[in-house]
Amino acid sequence: MTWNPDPSTNERELEGHLRRNAALEAEFRKRGADFDSLRELEVHFWAPNRRTAALLGRELYRKDFLVIALGPSAGRGTEVWNVEAQKEGSIREGLSEEFTRSLIELASSSSSTYDGWGTSI
C-alpha cells in the first residue's frame, strides 16, 4: 500500500475520521455498548470507476473483509462507485487509529476515498 504522496492530505483525512470516531465512541458509551465483543464492522468507500471499485474489493477481501456491496452509486453520478465490506471485529478495533489509518491507506492506494465505518449495537 502507498500512503498518499501528499502526507498532509492523508493526515487531514485521518484527523477527520478520528473526530468522527470520538463522536461514535460517545454514542456507543451512551447506549451501553460492549467495546470488546466481536460483531460485524462495516466499512464504506467511494471509488472513481468500476475497475477501481473491483480492485479495491479484491484488496478488502485479501484483508479478510467480505465485500457486501460494489456498484455505481445512485445520485453521485455514473462514474462514482460504492464499495462496502464487513469483517468481524470489536468496537474498540473500529475506533482505533491503526484501523482507520490502514483503511485510509488502502483507499489512497487505489485512488478511492474511505468514508468511514459503522456497526449495529
Side-chain angles (χ1 to χ4, degrees), residues 2 9 17 23 27 56 78 80 88 90 103 121:
T2 305
T9 300
H17 281 289
E27 184 63 28
L56 176 59
T78 58
V80 178
E88 189 173 65
S90 68
L103 294 173
I121 54 171

Side-chain angles (χ1 to χ4, degrees), residues 76-94:
R76 290 190 74 143
T78 58
E79 290 303 311
V80 178
W81 282 61
N82 175 48
V83 179
E84 298 177 21
Q86 64 186 23
K87 72 176 276 186
E88 189 173 65
S90 68
I91 289 175
R92 191 170 313 284
E93 177 185 4

Side-chain angles (χ1 to χ4, degrees), residues 51-117:
R51 181 178 186 283
T52 301
L55 292 172
L56 176 59
R58 182 181 69 188
E59 290 306 311
L60 285 162
Y61 182 77
R62 287 180 175 166
K63 294 187 174 302
D64 295 325
F65 284 87
L66 173 65
V67 176
I68 57 173
L70 194 149
S73 176
R76 290 190 74 143
T78 58
E79 290 303 311
V80 178
W81 282 61
N82 175 48
V83 179
E84 298 177 21
Q86 64 186 23
K87 72 176 276 186
E88 189 173 65
S90 68
I91 289 175
R92 191 170 313 284
E93 177 185 4
L95 292 170
S96 74
E97 181 174 334
E98 178 183 348
F99 182 78
T100 303
R101 185 178 294 271
S102 71
L103 294 173
I104 291 170
E105 288 176 358
L106 178 62
S108 178
S109 72
S110 65
S111 302
S112 299
T113 302
Y114 171 56
D115 197 36
W117 72 282

Side-chain angles (χ1 to χ4, degrees), residues 29-73:
R29 287 192 188 288
K30 187 170 104 176
R31 293 182 183 207
D34 179 344
F35 279 58
D36 296 309
S37 66
L38 295 179
R39 60 184 67 242
E40 293 297 327
L41 303 180
E42 189 171 302
V43 295
H44 306 269
F45 298 85
W46 298 111
N49 54 52
R50 184 176 80 160
R51 181 178 186 283
T52 301
L55 292 172
L56 176 59
R58 182 181 69 188
E59 290 306 311
L60 285 162
Y61 182 77
R62 287 180 175 166
K63 294 187 174 302
D64 295 325
F65 284 87
L66 173 65
V67 176
I68 57 173
L70 194 149
S73 176

